Structure formats: structure tokens, C-alpha cells
Amino acid sequence: MVNNQNIDWEKLHKAAIEIMVKAYVPYSKFPVGVASLVSDGRIVSGCNVENASYGLGLCAECGLVSNLISTGGGKLIATVCVDAKGNFLAPCGRCRQLLFEHGGNEMLLMTPDGPKKMNEMLPWAFGPDDLEKSK
């Protein structure tokens, strides 16, 4: 297991900024980039992609999770999400749920106050373990 000391937060921040500039945001003009360290050492990333039918837009975290799965899966260990200026950005509730599904309670998310565990960012999260309890 990777601990906080083994995470190159600067590298993740840079990767999030690099993908953010590729965002497709002709409507909101609010680009978002996200990058995560995977349990096998890879870095996966994603940016938001808007659509003229606003409800069909994809958050950056959707792209990140698609990238994760299409490149071999694994568990998300640490994540950085940024806005157009490279400032740390908190994912929306839907995206916190996406990250939780693939990172669990222990995944770290960088905030302006430092790294926070996912269970702090999404308390009482619903996940795969809850489905098992109902069987």
C-alpha cells in the first residue's frame, strides 16, 4: 500500500493541469482536470467534456474512471482535481461517488488544506460492500 509520503503530489498536480487544458468547455468556459495515482504506479487522468445538451456533459472524473478501466483497472490511491488556474478543486458529489467506487474510503484527495481521505470528503458513502450486505 502506498502511504502519503510515497505520493508525488507535484507530479499528480502537473498531470491534472496538463489534461485540464484539453477540456472541451465551449459553454461553461470552466475547464477541469483530474489525475490519480493507481495502485500499480500508473497515473490516469481525465478532463470535462461538455455537450450542447447540457445534461449530457461529462465531468473530468468520468474520463478518469474510463481511462482507469480501459488501461487495466486497479485501485485509485491519490487524486488531484484542478480548475483553469491549477487551483485544487473539490469534485462534485456525483464525482466523489465515482472516485469512491474505485478508490474506497482510504483514497486521498488533495485539498487546499492538504490531502484528505475519501471518507472525509464523502462520509457514509454507498458502495459495493453495501450491495453485499443486502444479499
Side-chain angles (χ1 to χ4, degrees):
M1 181 77 175
V2 177
N3 64 40
N4 193 21
Q5 285 75 32
N6 296 29
I7 297 168
D8 188 342
W9 289 106
E10 189 174 320
K11 187 175 182 180
L12 283 176
H13 189 217
K14 183 179 177 189
I17 292 169
E18 287 174 358
I19 195 72
M20 174 272 300
V21 299
K22 296 179 181 180
Y24 177 73
V25 291
Y27 310 107
S28 73
K29 310 284 192 258
F30 192 84
V32 175
V34 63
S36 291
L37 174 65
V38 182
S39 54
D40 63 8
R42 284 178 297 135
I43 292 179
V44 293
S45 61
C47 60
N48 53 329
V49 178
E50 294 179 345
N51 189 285
S53 177
Y54 295 146
L56 295 179
L58 299 173
C59 294
E61 294 81 359
C62 293
L64 179 135
V65 168
S66 181
N67 188 341
L68 172 71
I69 298 304
S70 68
T71 60
K75 185 173 182 179
L76 300 176
I77 302 298
T79 300
V80 172
C81 185
V82 298
D83 65 13
K85 295 181 180 177
N87 297 316
F88 299 129
L89 186 64
C92 70
R94 173 180 179 253
C95 290
R96 291 178 197 199
Q97 182 66 40
L98 285 171
L99 294 172
F100 174 78
E101 178 82 11
H102 298 281
N105 282 316
E106 299 298 311
M107 188 201 83
L108 295 171
L109 179 67
M110 182 54 77
T111 75
D113 297 327
K116 303 287 183 195
K117 289 184 178 181
M118 202 62 202
N119 61 6
E120 293 179 70
M121 300 302 293
L122 188 64
W124 290 81
F126 181 87
D129 291 343
D130 294 299
L131 296 176
E132 290 299 315
K133 291 176 190 173
S134 68
K135 292 181 179 178

